[in-house]
Amino acid sequence: MKAMVYNGPGKRVWEEVPDPRLTAPADAVVRVDAVTICGTDLHILKGDVPAVEPGRILGHEAVGTVMATGDAVTTVKEGDRVLVSCITACGRCRYCRTSAYGQCLGGGGWILGHRIDGTQAEYVRVPFADTSTHQLPEAVSDEAALMLADILPTSYEVGVLNGRVQPGDTVVVVGAGPIGLAAITTARLFTPSHIVAVDPAATRLEAAKRLGADVLVGAGDDPAAAVAELTGGLGADVTIEAVGIPETFELCTRLVRPGGHLANVGVHGAPATLHLEDLWIRNLTITTGLVDTYSTPALLDMVAAGRLDPTTFITHRYGLMDMEAAYRTFSDAAETGALKVVLSRTGT
């Protein structure tokens, strides 16, 4: 089969590799019908995730069709259309028993495209298939379901829920890329009074406005002044960091009010300074996290009911064999305006 293979920092290649096969009784082999590229894949290619070894197939999000299952798999079968979650769960360890699947101790967690071969391929082996896939209703399209593999549960759990967004809050989202836009979308479920989007790219701010941001702070604007004016000088109730660089994390600490919440969602490849000399007195709650995907069933229900439309994040579509072109488009988002790219067996 063809797959996108990581060969070290800055090196990727779409090439032929062996087909995956069942290696454990709880495995499934899934034909990839739709797949996307994540900002985390770009972090890997920059060398920010050293645990990823050369030769690894990238990708951790997919929708596909079950082709084969191990003897221990009971909830999915050959021919089922499934969402392959970015998080794999053994379902038995201490963390999985408390729905903290991202911290799985039994061989799961974020492993696809990280510690084992991932989804940017024609086929993928999915460990613990019973607890790591979701059967899809006919009412949910492949494209809509694909957005539930990572960006929607990540933004919702690690950003909105960890940030304790409440009705009437002022919420600042720093970074209007796919994760930031998904945080804006899911924050609206809690009817905040204001959502502020901060990003230097005009095209991303336009997308933020379309998805529900009330105030846009772009290049040349002063975020602190904008938030102070909006809140009578108090600061934001919740700031959500959705970029993953020191400057944006530190900006979030300056924009949040005393007693507020800072939810870090971005993947950081360099240290950020925590200015405790200023922050110790401000009663802040700062959270970090890897998505657990415990919210995926609820989000799937909302999509099936027409309450959420995740396809609004999709800007570019490719055929599955156009992986290299899709990577070029996604990697140069400032020029192309890319938010999420979808590659499918039937797409162009």
Side-chain angles (χ1 to χ4, degrees), residues 43 174-176 179 198-199 240-245 248-249 265-268:
H43 278 284
V174 178
I179 287 290
V198 181
D199 198 289
I240 297 175
E241 198 287 332
V243 181
I245 59 174
T248 51
F249 175 81
V265 189
V267 177
H268 288 264

Side-chain angles (χ1 to χ4, degrees), residues 39 43 65 71 91 120 122 141 162-163 183 200 224 228 235 239 246 260 312 314 321 345 348:
H43 278 284
T65 303
D71 292 341
Q120 291 171 7
E122 293 185 83
S141 69
N162 279 3
T239 56
T312 55
I314 301 169
M321 294 300 166
R345 287 183 176 268
T348 56

Side-chain angles (χ1 to χ4, degrees), residues 16-323:
E16 287 191 1
V17 299
D19 291 346
R21 57 185 181 85
L22 301 173
T23 61
D27 287 353
V29 171
V30 175
R31 184 189 71 199
V32 174
D33 297 326
V35 68
T36 187
I37 303 168
C38 181
T40 304
D41 297 319
L42 301 186
H43 278 284
I44 291 171
L45 285 164
K46 290 177 184 176
D48 290 344
V49 189
V52 182
E53 299 176 347
R56 176 71 62 233
I57 297 173
L58 294 173
H60 49 267
E61 308 159 81
V63 169
T65 303
V66 176
M67 305 303 291
T69 59
D71 292 341
V73 177
T74 61
T75 61
V76 295
K77 63 184 184 304
E78 184 179 346
D80 283 349
R81 190 169 70 104
V82 296
L83 169 66
V84 178
S85 176
C86 66
I87 297 298
T88 303
C90 79
R92 299 186 298 270
C93 73
R94 175 67 172 80
Y95 286 112
C96 285
R97 294 295 291 269
T98 57
S99 301
Y101 308 117
Q103 304 302 322
C104 176
L105 297 171
W110 173 38
I111 57 173
L112 289 170
H114 181 205
R115 298 186 182 278
I116 68 171
D117 286 336
T119 59
Q120 291 171 7
E122 293 185 83
Y123 297 88
V124 60
R125 179 180 71 89
V126 182
F128 308 115
D130 282 332
T131 47
S132 306
T133 63
H134 301 266
Q135 290 196 55
L136 294 174
E138 291 184 8
V140 177
S141 69
D142 285 0
E143 289 190 347
L146 186 58
M147 299 300 106
L148 300 182
D150 188 349
I151 66 163
L152 267 173
T154 294
S155 62
Y156 184 51
E157 295 173 19
V158 186
V160 175
L161 297 183
N162 279 3
R164 305 282 183 88
V165 174
Q166 298 293 320
D169 278 356
T170 294
V171 179
V172 177
V173 179
V174 178
I179 287 290
L181 295 174
I184 290 169
T185 299
T186 52
R188 292 183 65 199
L189 297 171
F190 293 87
T191 61
S193 59
H194 299 98
I195 299 177
V196 181
V198 181
D199 198 289
T203 55
R204 293 195 165 190
L205 289 179
E206 290 170 7
K209 182 177 182 180
R210 186 176 71 250
L211 292 171
D214 306 291
V215 178
L216 309 178
V217 179
D221 297 330
D222 183 348
V227 172
E229 181 178 358
L230 196 64
T231 62
L234 285 177
D237 298 283
V238 182
T239 56
I240 297 175
E241 198 287 332
V243 181
I245 59 174
E247 294 82 0
T248 51
F249 175 81
E250 292 168 29
L251 174 61
C252 284
T253 67
R254 297 194 299 272
L255 297 181
V256 67
R257 67 168 175 82
H261 289 75
L262 188 169
N264 183 90
V265 189
V267 177
H268 288 264
T273 300
L274 185 64
H275 289 283
L276 284 176
E277 74 277 12
D278 298 322
L279 301 178
W280 72 270
I281 201 170
R282 294 178 57 203
N283 292 19
L284 297 185
T285 299
I286 298 175
T287 57
T288 66
L290 175 67
V291 65
D292 292 310
T293 66
Y294 63 82
S295 68
T296 302
L299 292 168
L300 187 57
D301 286 344
M302 283 188 266
V303 172
R307 301 297 187 185
L308 281 177
D309 180 12
T311 62
T312 55
F313 305 124
I314 301 169
T315 54
H316 295 76
R317 293 170 172 85
Y318 292 90
L320 185 59
M321 294 300 166
D322 297 324
M323 187 70 71

